[in-house]
Amino acid sequence: MKAQALIDALRKDGERITVLRRAIVQCLVNASEPMTAVALIAVLKKMNLQPSPPSVYRELKFLTEKKMTRTLQFEERNRRYELVPADHRHHLICTECKGIEDVVVHHDLDVVEKNLEQQKKFKVKRHALEFYGVCNKCQ
Amino acid sequence: MKAQALIDALRKDGERITVLRRAIVQCLVNASEPMTAVALIAVLKKMNLQPSPPSVYRELKFLTEKKMTRTLQFEERNRRYELVPADHRHHLICTECKGIEDVVVHHDLDVVEKNLEQQKKFKVKRHALEFYGVCNKCQ
DNA sequence: CTGAGTGCAAACGATTTGCATCCGG
DNA sequence: CCGGATGCAAATCGTTTGCACTCAG
């Protein structure tokens, strides 16, 4: 199981494995879309954990520093968190149901970035690309 | 002057032209990058206006409903606002100085969107594309 | 004159911080 | 045992709301 592998990796790094840490990793592995901290807290409550918000935020920060998760900011108030995906992902965001779908799209942005570096002298480190629209179900 | 044209358009729509409204439009016209409400309030203060934050937020909401401005959300806490640009813009965001530069890039995302609509049955309305990196000055 | 626009105070909601306590290794 | 992890309360901070007052047309 993926969650166990992540936990093992943390343990190997000498990090403590607490109940909350294990549960949060498990939630993120199960999540079908990048989660907000608020949603994560709700799920954890259903698992009979009563985590305080600060603990959850600190844990997410910890995992992000460990480069195990990353943060995303869409056009909404809350920050979202997801496990760092192996491949280069972008997102489809439904403006109706607010659902988020991951996609791997084939694009020419590498070329675009090279041009930007030459023409604008801007050193591109990464890019964010989101598509907003209406998902299959909501049409 | 661009600001005057926008004000005239509003007046033509039967909207009231207040001191604050005119000043905010002027600020956005002058702005070299999408502004946060907080930054906008600071600039307005320098113009000897003492707008209350709620008034500024309401005004920005009004202008956005009028489709004269639009909101942007980068990977930072605050929302940003900019006049709706005539052409299709994206942004270069410097992670050092936090500066934002507009760019018009030539890309193949139209094709990507068509593929998404066919393969994922996701009706794309728009996309957001930002490049994060280090600007010329900060390198 | 009349309703849109405004200021002020307070509410809101996500996130952070300080601090005392707890527990994994 | 010991330092990292946690809970709780409170602070932060951008943004929103309620309400009474003001001013543009």
Side-chain angles (χ1 to χ4, degrees), chain A residues 2-112:
Chain A
K2 180 114 187 284
Q4 193 55 51
L6 293 172
I7 291 297
D8 289 344
L10 287 174
R11 184 177 286 122
K12 202 172 160 196
D13 274 9
E15 302 298 345
R16 293 189 183 176
I17 308 305
T18 65
V19 175
L20 182 58
R21 176 160 295 165
R22 188 189 301 273
I24 287 177
V25 169
Q26 185 64 60
C27 281
L28 291 172
V29 168
N30 295 345
S32 61
E33 57 182 41
M35 293 182 81
T36 64
V38 172
L40 181 54
I41 290 167
V43 173
L44 290 167
K45 277 193 181 147
K46 281 191 199 144
M47 296 166 73
N48 291 323
L49 291 176
Q50 329 293 330
S52 67
S55 295
V56 174
Y57 282 103
R58 276 187 283 238
E59 187 57 31
L60 289 169
K61 190 179 179 191
F62 167 84
L63 291 172
T64 301
E65 281 164 359
K66 277 276 158 189
K67 307 232 185 271
M68 197 162 276
T69 59
R70 64 173 180 176
T71 64
L72 301 169
Q73 177 83 56
F74 299 138
E75 295 180 6
E76 59 186 356
R77 188 189 285 254
N78 311 27
R79 207 167 290 160
R80 286 177 182 268
Y81 301 82
E82 69 173 2
L83 293 176
V84 174
D87 41 20
H88 186 56
R89 299 285 182 88
H90 296 301
H91 297 94
L92 304 182
I93 302 167
C94 179
T95 52
E96 300 299 315
C97 68
K98 314 296 177 195
I100 298 167
E101 195 174 344
D102 282 12
V103 282
V104 177
V105 298
H106 174 263
H107 55 56
D108 65 356
L109 294 182
D110 290 343
V111 179
V112 171

Side-chain angles (χ1 to χ4, degrees), chain B residues 48-65:
Chain B
N48 291 322
L49 290 176
Q50 329 293 330
S52 67
S55 296
V56 173
Y57 283 104
R58 277 188 284 237
E59 187 58 30
L60 289 169
K61 189 179 181 192
F62 167 85
L63 291 173
T64 302
E65 280 163 2

Side-chain angles (χ1 to χ4, degrees), chain B residues 7-26:
Chain B
I7 291 295
D8 289 345
L10 287 173
R11 185 178 285 123
K12 201 172 160 195
D13 274 9
E15 303 297 347
R16 293 188 181 177
I17 309 305
T18 64
V19 175
L20 182 57
R21 177 159 296 165
R22 188 190 301 271
I24 287 178
V25 169
Q26 184 65 62

Side-chain angles (χ1 to χ4, degrees), chain B residues 41-53:
Chain B
I41 290 169
V43 173
L44 290 167
K45 277 193 180 147
K46 281 192 200 144
M47 297 166 73
N48 291 322
L49 290 176
Q50 329 293 330
S52 67

